[in-house]
Amino acid sequence: LGYINSFLMIYKNRKKNPVDVIYLYSNTFSDIWFYFFLSRLLNIILIQEKSEYPFVLKNQSFIGKIYAKFYLSTIYKLFDGMVIETQTLIDYFKKLIGKKTKICRIPMTVDIERFENIEKTRQYGEYIAYCGNMQKKDGVDLLINAFASIANKFPDIKLLLIGKCKDELYEEYKSHVKILGLDHQIIFTGKVSSDEVPIYLCNAKALVLASPSSLRSQGSLPCKLGEYLSTSNPVIVTSVGEISVYLKDNYNAFIAEPDNVNSFAYKIDLLLSDKFDNSEIGKQGKIVAEKFFNSENQAASMIEFFKKLKMEKYG
């Protein structure tokens, strides 16, 4: 039914409001083939966005590996263009796309204005904050352990963990925090609304992101990084993927080794001890966001890319 509705919507409006581009996020085999045939039928440019390695690389079974090989050898040749987040991923997908497929590099995007003129609040006192997925694969357990190792030195500083967490994992985190004796310093806020996110981030003393090393992090940029940098607050991140392309340690961010509790704890200690000009580091970080991740600039680049593709394909 979804495919039929998509076809009817595009077909019926082709004269009044013609669709020039189908921009596809889906990786589903059937979705891609459907929109490929639809794009050819109606002379529409077909684009896919990629911010990670193909999901089929996770397949470990014998049948799964056969499917992955077939998927990789066929699916990316169907697109007229691809919008890809990092150079690492571009180098990978270049081997899989068709000869006429064009690539546009667009890093993460952020609406910087969301993080300007934010009201000041002392609801949680002084704190450093993480905002995002609360899974272990996002480094939350490492954040807890790193903060625990320096918490006694900074008893007035809290760690806020902002985001929705599955009940079972939440209980595991809470139990661990209780054993550490840090119930009063490590705060789980739960999920907050998108309107509240800028308030939490902008009022933090620093923002932390302990992305672990993984196939996912090798090719992508942490999705929260742009928002963090937009606040003008200093950021502590791990040196995964292409972080080092945009950020320099102790200049526009504090950069720790991935999967290393001691390294991340050292960076928190360094920041909270005011060994550097944290305000200046935060300002330099925002300059990075404005230069590379500004949503208005990136949107303009994408539109130009779409226009060029349409001109080359259909004149």
Side-chain angles (χ1 to χ4, degrees):
L1 184 61
Y3 291 149
I4 295 174
N5 287 338
S6 294
F7 172 77
L8 292 176
M9 179 184 69
I10 295 173
Y11 185 76
K12 289 180 178 179
N13 291 291
R14 69 190 188 283
K15 292 183 178 180
K16 291 184 178 180
N17 298 295
V19 174
D20 295 320
V21 176
I22 295 176
Y23 195 86
L24 202 60
Y25 294 96
S26 174
N27 296 300
T28 305
F29 190 80
S30 57
D31 287 352
I32 293 171
W33 275 102
F34 170 78
Y35 286 106
F36 168 73
F37 286 121
L38 182 61
S39 68
R40 294 304 173 264
L41 177 66
L42 301 178
N43 292 335
I44 299 173
I45 297 296
L46 182 63
I47 306 286
Q48 188 180 50
E49 177 182 300
K50 296 300 296 184
S51 58
E52 295 183 19
Y53 283 104
F55 74 101
V56 293
L57 295 178
K58 299 176 183 178
N59 294 342
Q60 296 299 318
S61 67
F62 177 72
I63 298 298
K65 289 180 179 179
I66 292 176
Y67 171 70
K69 187 174 182 179
F70 172 70
Y71 182 99
L72 295 174
S73 64
T74 59
I75 213 72
Y76 297 109
K77 293 179 173 63
L78 303 179
F79 298 103
D80 299 300
M82 297 186 71
V83 173
I84 301 180
E85 186 175 80
T86 65
Q87 187 59 47
T88 302
L89 289 179
I90 288 175
D91 293 340
Y92 175 83
F93 282 105
K94 274 183 177 179
K95 305 170 186 175
L96 303 174
I97 60 177
K99 292 181 179 180
K100 295 184 178 180
T101 304
K102 306 298 182 182
I103 292 175
C104 177
R105 180 180 177 180
I106 299 289
M108 76 180 85
T109 59
V110 60
D111 180 1
I112 294 175
E113 291 185 357
R114 284 185 66 213
F115 301 90
E116 296 177 345
N117 303 314
I118 300 300
E119 64 179 300
K120 296 297 180 181
T121 176
R122 300 290 294 175
Q123 180 180 358
Y124 291 103
E126 285 195 310
Y127 62 88
I128 62 176
Y130 166 80
C131 181
N133 294 322
M134 295 292 289
Q135 301 179 57
K136 290 185 178 181
K137 68 179 181 180
D138 295 291
V140 174
D141 52 343
L142 187 146
L143 277 179
I144 292 172
N145 291 329
F147 182 77
S149 70
I150 55 90
N152 288 338
K153 186 176 178 180
F154 306 98
D156 296 326
I157 301 294
K158 296 180 176 66
L159 169 64
L160 260 62
L161 299 172
I162 305 164
K164 186 178 180 180
C165 187
K166 292 183 179 179
D167 292 343
E168 184 177 334
L169 187 56
Y170 173 73
E171 292 302 324
E172 182 181 333
Y173 287 149
K174 288 289 288 183
S175 176
H176 183 50
V177 169
K178 186 175 182 179
I179 291 171
L180 292 170
L182 293 173
D183 305 68
H184 62 295
Q185 271 186 276
I186 299 180
I187 311 297
F188 295 85
T189 69
K191 184 179 180 180
V192 302
S193 70
S194 59
D195 291 337
E196 292 178 295
V197 167
I199 298 173
Y200 278 92
L201 297 189
C202 289
N203 280 283
K205 189 174 182 67
L207 300 164
V208 291
L209 191 63
S211 302
S213 56
S214 64
L215 179 64
R216 173 189 174 196
S217 62
Q218 285 175 22
S220 62
L221 286 166
C223 60
K224 278 293 177 182
L225 181 59
E227 292 187 350
Y228 279 16
L229 294 172
S230 297
T231 66
S232 294
N233 289 328
V235 172
I236 306 175
V237 293
T238 49
S239 55
V240 296
E242 296 189 1
I243 290 288
S244 60
V245 173
Y246 301 98
L247 299 177
K248 182 180 178 181
D249 191 27
N250 302 334
Y251 175 70
N252 48 26
F254 293 92
I255 303 178
E257 296 176 9
D259 314 312
N260 189 326
V261 171
N262 292 333
S263 176
F264 208 93
Y266 172 72
K267 291 298 179 179
I268 298 176
D269 190 342
L270 201 63
L271 184 148
L272 295 179
S273 298
D274 294 320
K275 297 291 181 63
F276 291 86
D277 185 344
N278 294 334
S279 177
E280 181 61 25
I281 288 177
K283 289 178 182 178
Q284 292 298 326
K286 184 171 183 178
I287 290 173
V288 172
E290 291 172 335
K291 182 176 180 180
F292 296 104
F293 308 138
N294 188 304
S295 58
E296 291 185 7
N297 296 341
Q298 300 296 0
S301 297
M302 289 175 65
I303 291 171
E304 286 302 312
F305 176 62
F306 297 157
K307 288 180 178 178
K308 184 177 179 181
L309 273 181
K310 184 180 179 183
M311 183 64 67
E312 289 181 358
K313 192 170 183 68
Y314 299 115

